[in-house]
Amino acid sequence: MTIEWSPEAREFHLRNDRVSYIFRVLENGWLGHLYFGAPLAEGRSYAHLVPGEFYGFSNRLGEPVPLEYPSGGAGDYRIPAVAIELPDGSGVLDLRYKSHEAHPGKPEIPGLPSTYVEVGGEAETLEVVLADAVAEIEVRLLYTIYRDRPIVVRGARIVNSGKSPAIVRCAMSASLDLPDSDWELISLSGEWARECHVERLGLRPGRQSVSSTRGASGHQHNPFVVLARPATTEASGEAIGLGLAYSGNFVAEAEVEPFGTTRLRTGINPDGFSWVLESGAEFSTPEAILAHSAGGLDALSDAYHRLFRERLARGSWRDRARPIVINNWEATYFDFDEPKLLAIATAAKEMGIELFVLDDGWFGRRNDDSTSLGDWQVNLTKLPGGLDSLARSVEALGMRFGIWIEPEMVSRSSDLFAEHPDWTIGVPSRPRTEGRNQYVLDMSRPEVVDHLFGVLSAVLGGAPISYVKWDMNRTITEPFSPALPVWRQGEFLHRYILGVYQLYDRLTKAFPGILFESCASGGGRFDAGMLAFAPQAWASDDTDAIERLKIQWGTSLAYPLNSIAAHVSAVPNHQVGRVTPLATRAAVAFFGVFGYELDPTALSAGERAEITDQVAFYKQWRELFQRGRFLRLRSPFEGERDEAAWMTVADDGRSAIAAHYRILSRPNPGPQRLRLRGLDAAAFYRVSIWPSPAEAAGVAARPIVLGGDELMAAGLVLESSRESAGAGDFRARLYVLEAI
Ligand code: GLA
């Protein structure tokens, strides 16, 4: 890993064995982009990659100049990285190179989540200072390159060195000019209960973007996009990833201009955003995480998985095996008392489950979703001994105990709202819009964050609590804070999320032993910002195994398996009414942080025995399921959409588990093969099937031994027509591979 600076060519080259990022100071002082991609040799200039002489405005009006951090107003009509309203009301910026410095390591961003380093020599950071002499604005661009990752992390700090306030209207975390537009934009889009569906569409002239204006990253679009060549598959081809460690309003956008080049940018959504920068003040953007893959989407995902798992997630749970949970939500909803919960926990414990999670409804007068958010005192009618007694009883069974909270919310019918109506987001002269019968607290107010820290610390400190599910069940309407001056209302939604981060930071530091899981009606805020505090997230309220194939496939494009919480629930499924075999439900939920969300006391003896086996199987292979390399084999979004397959492989290639899901049964399908990836071609693997089949085609009911070369080149024989005849829909089969 090096950060090379050539004073003659005025060129920067950030390089490791997997990636190069190159840019230079143009003749007129602007910062011009040259290259991002597979590593190029050091010690050479690449200035010729961008032909032409870039000084004077005419070039800016003509051919597109690739720039590092473009601004508008002086001939570059593409989407800007930065826009600032200056004291004279103008918005023209002319940012020229002033100086630069390189440091070992990586700085933190004040108030914002970020990736980090832990050992010396892991990463280096370059800070390039650009200045506009007339406007007295400085922009400090930060670039971090890790030694062993195909990743460049970017961000910017904007400093007002003038005497009067200026208004930041747009401040992207990164902008990247690419020399062509032969790309497809992949985004993860959807809605509640169908998050992270993969959309892939060729770029065309003009702007194409995904974004949020909801105050949270949202179910609709994830703050993560990929540019892939049309020929790029999971296993091969070029791709560029653009992630953002941010949980509020974001944009991720590509613009193809008339010469066919592409500008890609991501950052805080400028729609509705502004930030007043007083004299001497500075504004930091969230960080953008750029990755390059020459080896397909698998390799791109792998780079993100490792970075997010190892250097974004933090705390005592980062590297630990995550427990198998039983959550009472779909088992009881709001209707429970202590005996009922203990019966669930006892039955779960008998099946080997490790942690009991008490979901919504344990506090205030909360017997439905119309009341009590904000009143974080236990409901003594339901739980006469309080959380402490329940938690101790659960611990006495030999399980850990966790609870659900929704700190950012308040119900109109609550003591908190009666006491502090002004702590609720809204425009004083207008009615507030309710969502799920609740309002959102004004997290931009320090006293609200302080209050929540106080009451939640009392809850978490008052009982042996090992796990917290932090929910957020509505997005923001009427964004306004009476606590902010008129001219700062454009800052509100960013200040809101800074308040959320601050509360997360304080609680995770005060309770370092607790495993936090984030949730926002499922995957409504599943993003890299949240993962810095809560290392796992509830991927979707949709627990149907078949729906989950798509959700987990899409989520895995960016996020590691040990961040994706996935539970087995009862049938008919509560979201879609589908009836799937118990084995299939487990075979999907295994690929993530596994758990159950059903009433085990309502199961038959046969079902309990099956779950006991599932739990034992997951424990045996937990490391592989949570931290193996994930390879997507057959997409539920492609072809006839009636099958899916994926696998996880240990880093040393000695063990792997592949899964094949047959969504709809096919009549007389003929022999089917599935080619695996990531194995050791020279190794022999003992292959066994889970669950043990009554009969099987290519792989017998008892294990057989196959070569890694064969499994990858010829494939695994899945099933024969005879075997699939009459077998029904929604089948799953796992193949466990152990090198011998
Ligand atoms: C949200 C969550 C669910 C559950 C409920 C409780 O919908 O996503 O898992 O916790 O809230 O109200």
Side-chain angles (χ1 to χ4, degrees):
M1 161 193 70
T2 48
I3 295 181
E4 201 179 51
W5 160 247
S6 151
E8 307 79 58
R10 300 217 294 174
E11 201 168 311
F12 298 97
H13 186 166
L14 288 74
R15 185 191 190 283
N16 62 25
D17 290 340
R18 303 181 62 186
V19 82
S20 275
Y21 192 106
I22 310 174
F23 56 100
R24 80 178 182 101
V25 182
L26 304 177
E27 282 73 3
N28 67 353
W30 299 337
L31 218 50
H33 180 78
L34 292 173
Y35 176 80
F36 177 48
L40 300 180
E42 301 163 78
R44 298 183 196 162
S45 170
Y46 296 93
H48 53 272
L49 281 176
V50 177
E53 293 180 326
F54 302 118
Y55 45 86
F57 290 105
S58 56
N59 285 323
R60 216 174 185 183
L61 290 166
E63 289 176 42
V65 183
L67 296 168
E68 278 300 301
Y69 204 67
S71 57
D76 185 347
Y77 298 104
R78 294 165 291 177
I79 42 176
V82 57
I84 298 179
E85 191 179 312
L86 299 169
D88 66 1
S90 71
V92 181
L93 280 180
D94 186 1
L95 292 164
R96 297 182 186 226
Y97 170 82
K98 181 173 164 194
S99 63
H100 74 270
E101 259 177 58
H103 315 271
K106 181 171 187 296
E108 289 189 356
I109 314 172
L112 283 164
S114 59
T115 55
Y116 57 92
V117 295
E118 217 166 57
V119 294
E122 225 189 299
E124 269 186 73
T125 299
L126 170 69
E127 184 168 341
V128 183
V129 184
L130 307 178
D132 181 320
V134 175
E136 297 182 296
I137 294 285
E138 259 184 28
V139 172
R140 296 169 168 264
L141 297 180
L142 293 148
Y143 299 81
T144 297
I145 182 150
Y146 281 89
R147 189 185 49 215
D148 303 316
R149 305 174 194 275
I151 280 176
V152 172
V153 181
R154 287 189 55 181
R157 281 191 300 157
I158 298 170
V159 186
N160 181 359
S161 36
K163 292 206 167 40
S164 314
I167 305 171
V168 180
R169 301 238 172 246
C170 168
M172 288 294 116
S173 301
S175 173
L176 183 68
D177 280 344
L178 299 165
D180 66 77
S181 54
D182 188 23
W183 296 101
E184 291 176 341
L185 180 69
I186 302 177
S187 62
L188 305 173
S189 299
E191 241 305 339
W192 173 78
R194 49 179 172 83
E195 298 88 339
C196 284
H197 282 210
V198 177
E199 299 290 338
R200 183 169 176 163
L201 216 58
L203 291 185
R204 55 188 165 71
R207 294 162 66 162
Q208 34 251 282
S209 67
V210 291
S211 63
S212 167
T213 51
R214 294 164 193 261
S217 48
H219 294 93
Q220 293 70 22
H221 303 289
N222 199 279
F224 176 84
V225 295
V226 173
L227 286 187
R229 295 294 184 190
T232 296
T233 64
E234 291 293 336
S236 70
E238 190 181 14
I240 290 174
L242 191 63
L244 186 69
Y246 191 59
S247 314
N249 289 352
F250 76 96
V251 68
E253 185 162 29
E255 181 179 13
V256 177
E257 53 69 61
F259 289 86
T261 72
T262 302
R263 174 167 290 169
L264 193 59
R265 67 172 190 171
T266 193
I268 295 174
N269 192 345
D271 280 356
F273 167 81
S274 61
W275 193 274
V276 178
L277 213 52
E278 301 289 351
S279 164
E282 64 176 60
F283 178 81
S284 292
T285 72
E287 72 179 26
I289 301 132
L290 283 73
H292 180 265
S293 165
L297 300 176
D298 275 351
L300 191 80
S301 297
D302 188 52
Y304 281 104
H305 292 181
R306 285 175 203 275
L307 180 75
F308 289 173
R309 208 166 65 203
E310 298 162 2
R311 293 294 181 264
L312 175 66
R314 57 197 79 209
S316 65
W317 280 98
R318 185 189 71 182
D319 301 330
R320 279 160 73 189
R322 307 287 166 72
I324 304 173
V325 309
I326 176 115
N327 177 305
N328 74 307
W329 179 240
E330 288 197 14
T332 66
Y333 295 103
F334 295 101
D335 181 19
F336 58 79
D337 55 19
E338 185 164 323
K340 200 166 178 180
L341 297 178
L342 284 175
I344 292 174
T346 306
K349 171 65 191 171
E350 280 163 12
M351 299 187 295
I353 295 172
E354 299 160 322
L355 191 150
F356 173 82
V357 181
L358 172 55
D359 210 280
D360 195 355
W362 58 265
F363 51 90
R365 302 175 307 281
R366 190 139 164 111
N367 296 316
D368 56 40
D369 65 12
S370 69
T371 172
S372 300
L373 290 169
D375 297 345
W376 300 108
Q377 291 86 34
V378 71
N379 178 325
L380 292 171
T381 313
K382 286 176 172 174
L383 305 173
L387 283 180
D388 187 46
S389 148
L390 176 65
R392 285 183 196 286
S393 304
V394 169
E395 290 223 319
L397 294 171
M399 296 177 96
R400 291 169 185 266
F401 177 77
I403 54 160
W404 176 98
I405 55 174
E406 197 180 1
E408 300 152 68
M409 299 294 155
V410 63
S411 305
R412 186 152 41 109
S413 150
S414 68
D415 297 343
L416 183 65
F417 186 72
E419 272 167 51
H420 295 285
D422 54 321
W423 284 5
T424 302
I425 294 175
V427 181
S429 54
R430 295 178 190 279
R432 295 183 179 96
T433 304
E434 278 191 338
R436 205 196 188 199
N437 309 304
Q438 64 200 50
Y439 299 139
V440 190
L441 289 172
D442 182 350
M443 300 294 288
S444 77
R445 295 173 82 134
E447 64 271 34
V448 172
V449 174
D450 286 344
H451 165 82
L452 290 171
F453 179 70
V455 291
L456 293 171
S457 294
V459 172
L460 301 182
I465 291 171
S466 306
Y467 161 106
V468 166
K469 175 178 172 188
W470 179 318
D471 210 339
M472 197 281 292
N473 279 315
R474 61 155 293 183
T475 50
I476 296 173
T477 51
E478 295 85 33
F480 184 88
S481 173
L484 287 174
V486 173
W487 61 92
R488 285 197 181 273
Q489 292 299 330
E491 302 175 8
F492 173 66
L493 288 172
H494 183 55
R495 287 185 182 275
Y496 175 88
I497 208 72
L498 291 178
V500 172
Y501 288 148
Q502 198 187 101
L503 184 60
Y504 251 116
D505 188 51
R506 289 170 68 179
L507 284 172
T508 50
K509 283 184 176 141
F511 298 94
I514 293 183
L515 170 60
F516 282 79
E517 176 169 305
S518 77
C519 173
S521 300
R525 204 166 59 182
F526 196 148
D527 56 56
M530 280 294 135
L531 286 185
F533 302 100
Q536 59 187 60
W538 180 227
S540 179
D541 276 353
D542 198 334
T543 53
D544 173 68
I546 302 308
E547 296 302 314
R548 276 286 184 140
L549 285 173
K550 290 186 187 156
I551 294 165
Q552 290 173 213
W553 175 286
T555 306
S556 81
L557 216 63
Y559 307 106
L561 290 185
N562 77 346
S563 71
I564 303 174
H567 296 169
V568 171
S569 61
V571 289
N573 173 267
H574 293 197
Q575 291 77 40
V576 294
R578 190 175 283 135
V579 177
T580 53
L582 185 51
T584 300
R585 283 173 266 156
V588 177
F590 281 157
F591 290 82
V593 183
F594 185 58
Y596 291 82
E597 182 133 356
L598 44 68
D599 182 358
T601 66
L603 299 172
S604 69
E607 287 168 323
R608 286 201 213 191
E610 212 180 322
I611 291 182
T612 306
D613 284 349
Q614 293 173 352
V615 168
F617 180 78
Y618 186 80
K619 284 180 182 168
Q620 184 185 354
W621 298 107
R622 174 161 22 202
E623 176 68 14
L624 208 46
F625 283 129
Q626 294 189 354
R627 295 156 61 86
R629 175 167 182 195
F630 191 60
L631 300 163
R632 291 171 297 259
L633 303 175
R634 251 174 227 181
S635 170
F637 297 101
E638 287 169 13
E640 293 183 36
R641 297 180 172 223
D642 73 345
E643 63 176 330
W646 55 42
M647 66 187 287
T648 164
V649 193
D651 279 344
D652 64 4
R654 303 292 294 167
S655 55
I657 298 179
H660 179 258
Y661 307 94
R662 168 64 65 207
I663 299 174
L664 293 181
S665 191
R666 276 187 193 170
N668 194 15
Q672 305 282 308
R673 281 198 218 166
L674 177 69
R675 288 209 257 178
L676 306 186
R677 288 204 297 279
L679 301 174
D680 177 353
F684 285 94
Y685 293 88
R686 186 184 314 111
V687 184
S688 47
I689 289 180
W690 186 95
S692 299
E695 58 171 322
V699 178
R702 59 195 163 70
I704 58 165
V705 172
L706 297 170
D709 55 351
E710 177 191 332
L711 287 164
M712 292 192 288
L716 192 65
V717 177
L718 291 175
E719 61 180 0
S720 66
S721 292
R722 189 167 67 89
E723 210 190 332
S724 70
D729 297 333
F730 316 131
R731 278 172 294 132
R733 181 172 279 179
L734 265 48
Y735 299 86
V736 180
L737 281 62
E738 294 166 90
I740 50 172

